[in-house]
Amino acid sequence: MEKKWWKESVVYQIYPRSFKDSNGDGVGDLNGITEKLDYLAKLGIDVIWLSPVYRSPNDDNGYDISDYRAIMDDFGTMSDFDRLLDEAHRRGIRIVMDLVVNHTSDEHPWFVESRKSEDNPYRDFYIWRPARNGRPPNNWGSCFSGSAWEYDARTDMYYLHLFSKKQPDLNWDNPEVREEVFDMMNWWLDKGADGFRMDVISLISKDPDFPDGVPGINGYASFTEPANGPHVHEYLQEMRKKVLDGRDTLTVGECSGVTLEEAKKYARSDGRELNMVFQFEHMDVDADGSNKWSDKKMDLRELKKIMTKWQKGLDTVAWNSLFWENHDQPRSVSRFGDDGRYRETSAKMLATCLHMMQGTPYIYQGEELGMTNVPFCDISDFRDLDSINAYYELTGRGIFTKEQMLRFLRYKSRDNARTPFQWNSEENAGFTTGEPWIMVNPNYTEINAEEQMKRETSVFCYYQKLIRLRKQHEIIVYGSYDLLLPEDKELFVYTRALGTEKLLVICNFYGNTRCFELPEEWDSRKTKILIANYSDAAVEKTITVRPYEALVLQNRP
Ligand code: NOJ
């Protein structure tokens, strides 16, 4: 397998609005991030993925961009950005930008022009269609509730928006759109950015027939209906030629609705498209059919099956991205671990299970502290339009009661990941001296970076160690993966192999104590513990695996 720095790296995602506020306005900003670069260097990460920092009216917290070459006022100025980039590079940390080009804001000058008239030169930058029998052109739903089509009386037509109606979809079939996007990407790379995380890049090419899809519980087809459209690979190959070729970048595509076969094309190892993809199958493991709004707990066997399919399926032909969290997901320790008694132990177990797999690991801010879901009380505590729209849509239609919906939001809302980073036990967790834009999780007095950096047994220090191990052992990066005990409901056990070297990763996802027999070929006397989340872990022929215990064993040939 070809060696690449981006395979050997650990990426840290920053959601700037919630990371660190340097000027007391209650919103995180670029200077706040620069202030905390030493913290990230200490953690040991190699790359920052910066969620959008561009000018935006903030309908979707920056994922609705009105100027791709300007910085959002809340976050600072372009010279603040340049300083952040310089300071990061000085510490050997690269910065990957969020590229949001499936759609723009409706306040982007292109859309302002486009909606004016049918013969406006920007008309064809977006996707306009007439009504079908007095109704929207098809049954596609927006990711954020309701139809994906918005009627615009000025020209008596609908425009497509797979996200909010303030996020109209760009028309990638128009070569002028592609040229604009490629120019803008070159501009950021010339400035020194180190690559792109590409927002819903799997959705950019739409079937020109706009066929109806299968309706979900709200009556609309999923926003992922157009995924992997007819020209997506052609457009990404064009992007490679016009932007990325000859540059040493990291590219990761957010590929909603991607199948394994499609992923092999997006992240192909011949480098003609992207370096790697985010797939989301494992994020549906606790969905209720196609409906994410539920508080169903996952079945570990299902999770193992999905992870294994991607580990084995992409081995040598493409490259995985590994994640439990991002700004769209609840906190993993509350979702897949135990955020009560075993919070620290289970956070470390989840980290072990993920970071020992093949692929590039992504840490979402606060995950390295074991930050948890948030005790939101009322719908007025939420800020995320997805959560708020779903609440009103699904309770309004009588599909769920308000109590049910609040329970689901507390479990699944994106806002769980968006409360301020917990720096210390001072007011507002040290995030801001002002009024934070969203509530602070009250557990910051107990869970915060300052306390964890001082304590060797903390989740933070465990992450430091995991990252260090990755730099010391090639097998963690390049080894092949095999699952053991596929039918076990509590233990996730797998091996990695490279040459004569082997690792055995044992993770208990539950609070029961279990016994695990070392496989025949493993001699307990020639086996050493590489990392474990219990300080007194021991290797014997039969290993007692305690609640949420994780161990990584290494054979000594
Ligand atoms: C995916 C992003 O991760 C999410 O936060 C955003 O709302 C949508 N794409 C729309 O850009």
Side-chain angles (χ1 to χ4, degrees), residues 60 63 103 144 163 197 199-200 254 327-328 414 418:
D60 184 18
Y63 282 90
H103 45 268
F144 301 145
F163 296 90
R197 171 269 184 187
D199 193 69
V200 288
E254 187 199 25
H327 64 294
D328 294 330
R414 311 196 291 182
R418 297 178 178 188

Side-chain angles (χ1 to χ4, degrees), residues 5-23:
W5 64 264
W6 43 264
K7 295 182 179 173
E8 295 166 14
S9 296
V10 175
V11 183
Y12 187 91
Q13 184 191 352
I14 292 184
Y15 196 67
R17 181 163 292 273
S18 306
F19 192 60
K20 177 73 176 94
D21 174 19
S22 70
N23 63 357

Side-chain angles (χ1 to χ4, degrees), residues 282 303-311 324 357 492:
H282 62 306
L303 180 72
K304 292 196 285 192
K305 198 161 132 198
I306 296 169
M307 299 308 273
T308 302
K309 163 177 152 188
W310 286 88
Q311 286 290 300
W324 294 137
M357 287 187 194
F492 196 152

Side-chain angles (χ1 to χ4, degrees), residues 82-96:
D82 293 337
R83 195 167 67 89
L84 168 61
L85 195 60
D86 274 358
E87 290 293 325
H89 286 166
R90 230 165 42 79
R91 291 167 177 79
I93 296 176
R94 294 170 155 101
I95 296 193
V96 162

